[in-house]
């Protein structure tokens, strides 16, 4: 919508009078008017363009009562078309085959010092935009990473709806099972299994440390609770600073996430243990 440029690079138009230059400009304007008329014939009241919109088409849109939005973000326009229920088009010769998007309200809002265009009442009501604000770029980056992690957890939970109790409950249960198996295992394998059980208990201890609690006491209480009761549901209650019933507190975690944490941690430990087995050739001495 800026201008119909000649697509062949290096092409020139030679004229012998200014009147012919005016004729070329008039022809370009007429071509732009025809394009704008084709867009208006779609029966729209808002036109969103990825690139620049010059003054002439903008005036024609304004006269026809059509809002014109220029310089739309390339990635954002894909998502916008999805949530509005429309499709992105590059030609306007067949209005009947074009699927238009719909929303209830388009408004310009201010967030901080930035002006944003807000679309509300879209076709996909579950779609939304999350605006992060912070005092520095470091805080914003941390907030974005945290939000990304939370969205990934939700995605995995939707794909696999299985959940387990949170608050370190899975690790305490697994540590108990590993220790019971280690007590029946002969040889040095039992030492590795006991070390694995201690590593599992480090996760609820980390939860306590992050909350500023006494991790040694709470983990010991959890170990005793799970040892006394086979189907104990006790985990770390960071609000009260003690062991609590995860079912009553409603603390659950995605099964897929806990499984991936366990597999990734185990794989990382194995990689570190295998470092000593790497055979390195001595560097060649320089003459």
């Amino acid at each position: 919508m800026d201008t119909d440029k000649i697509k062949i690079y290096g092409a020139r138009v030679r004229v012998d009078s200014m009147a012919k230059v005016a004729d070329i400009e008039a022809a370009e304007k007429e071509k732009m008017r025809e394009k704008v008329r084709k867009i208006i014939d779609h029966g729209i009241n808002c036109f969103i363009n990825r690139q620049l919109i010059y003054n002439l088409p903008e005036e024609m849109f304004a006269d026809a009562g059509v809002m014109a939005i220029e310089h739309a973000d390339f990635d954002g326009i894909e998502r916008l078309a999805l949530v509005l229920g429309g499709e992105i088009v590059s030609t306007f010769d067949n209005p009947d085959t074009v699927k238009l998007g719909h929303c209830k309200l388009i408004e310009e809002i201010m967030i901080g010092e930035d002006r944003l265009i807000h679309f509300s009442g879209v076709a996909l009501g579950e779609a939304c935009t999350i605006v992060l604000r912070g005092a520095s770029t470091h805080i914003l980056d941390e907030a974005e990473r945290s939000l990304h992690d939370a969205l990934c957890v939700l995605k995995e939970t939707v794909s696999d709806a299985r959940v387990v109790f949170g608050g370190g409950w899975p690790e305490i249960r697994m540590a108990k099972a590993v220790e019971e198996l280690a007590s029946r295992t002969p040889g040095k394998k039992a030492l590795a299994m006991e070390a694995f059980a201690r590593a599992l208990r480090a996760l609820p201890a980390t939860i306590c440390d992050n909350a500023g609690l006494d991790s040694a006491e709470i983990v010991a209480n959890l170990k005793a609770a799970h040892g006394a009761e086979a189907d104990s549901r006790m985990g770390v209650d960071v609000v009260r600073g003690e062991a609590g019933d995860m079912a009553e507190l409603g603390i659950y975690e995605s099964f897929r996430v806990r499984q991936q944490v366990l597999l990734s941690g185990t794989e990382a430990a194995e990689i570190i243990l295998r470092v000593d087995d790497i055979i390195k050739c001595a560097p060649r001495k320089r003459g």
Side-chain angles (χ1 to χ4, degrees), residues 258-287:
R258 302 315 302 169
Q259 184 186 40
Q260 190 58 45
V261 167
L262 183 64
L263 293 176
S264 299
T266 305
E267 184 178 354
E270 289 179 355
I271 292 173
I272 294 173
L273 290 173
R274 286 182 179 141
V275 169
D276 291 339
D277 295 333
I278 295 176
I279 301 173
K280 185 177 179 181
C281 180
R284 187 167 48 117
K285 294 182 180 181
R286 294 184 179 181

Side-chain angles (χ1 to χ4, degrees), residues 78-92:
E78 300 281 349
R79 294 192 292 270
L80 186 61
L82 180 63
V83 299
L84 292 177
E87 61 182 15
I88 300 172
V89 294
S90 57
T91 57
F92 311 101

Side-chain angles (χ1 to χ4, degrees), residues 214-246:
D214 188 351
S215 59
E217 182 177 358
I218 295 177
V219 172
N221 293 338
L222 290 176
K223 184 178 178 181
H226 283 263
E229 190 176 350
D231 56 349
S232 176
R233 301 177 299 188
M234 301 299 286
V236 180
D237 183 357
V238 296
V239 177
R240 297 180 181 177
E242 59 184 17
D245 193 322
M246 296 292 101

Side-chain angles (χ1 to χ4, degrees), residues 37-50:
R37 281 192 288 267
K38 288 181 179 180
I39 295 173
I40 296 173
D41 289 341
H42 285 70
I44 60 174
N45 57 7
C46 180
F47 174 70
I48 304 172
N49 193 37
R50 281 173 164 170

Side-chain angles (χ1 to χ4, degrees), residues 9 34 36 49 56 60 102 223 225 231 259 287:
Y9 294 103
E34 181 64 24
V36 173
N49 193 37
L56 175 63
M60 294 185 65
H102 300 274
K223 184 178 178 181
D231 56 349
Q259 184 186 40

Side-chain angles (χ1 to χ4, degrees), residues 110-257:
M110 288 285 295
I111 297 180
E113 298 179 353
D114 298 327
R115 291 179 177 270
L116 302 177
I117 298 176
H118 180 228
F119 294 81
S120 57
V122 296
L124 291 179
E126 64 270 17
C128 64
T129 300
I130 301 174
V131 180
L132 300 177
R133 299 183 66 182
S136 64
T137 56
H138 176 71
I139 295 175
L140 281 176
D141 291 341
E142 287 294 329
E144 185 176 0
R145 278 192 291 269
S146 299
L147 183 63
H148 180 265
D149 293 342
L151 291 176
C152 289
V153 171
L154 289 175
K155 174 180 173 294
E156 291 298 327
T157 306
V158 170
S159 61
D160 188 348
R162 291 179 293 176
V163 294
V164 294
F165 292 124
W169 177 88
E171 288 77 21
I172 293 291
R173 288 295 297 269
M174 287 188 287
K176 177 186 174 184
V178 171
E179 282 186 340
E180 291 177 353
L181 183 59
S183 63
R184 302 192 300 270
T185 302
K188 292 183 178 180
K189 286 185 179 180
L191 299 176
M193 296 169 71
E194 290 174 358
F196 190 81
R198 288 195 301 272
L200 287 171
R201 288 201 182 93
L203 274 82
T206 303
I207 295 175
C208 298
D209 293 337
N210 290 340
L213 305 176
D214 188 351
S215 59
E217 182 177 358
I218 295 177
V219 172
N221 293 338
L222 290 176
K223 184 178 178 181
H226 283 263
E229 190 176 350
D231 56 349
S232 176
R233 301 177 299 188
M234 301 299 286
V236 180
D237 183 357
V238 296
V239 177
R240 297 180 181 177
E242 59 184 17
D245 193 322
M246 296 292 101
E248 293 179 0
L249 296 173
I251 300 176
Y252 297 92
E253 290 181 291
S254 171
F255 169 78
R256 289 281 295 274
V257 173

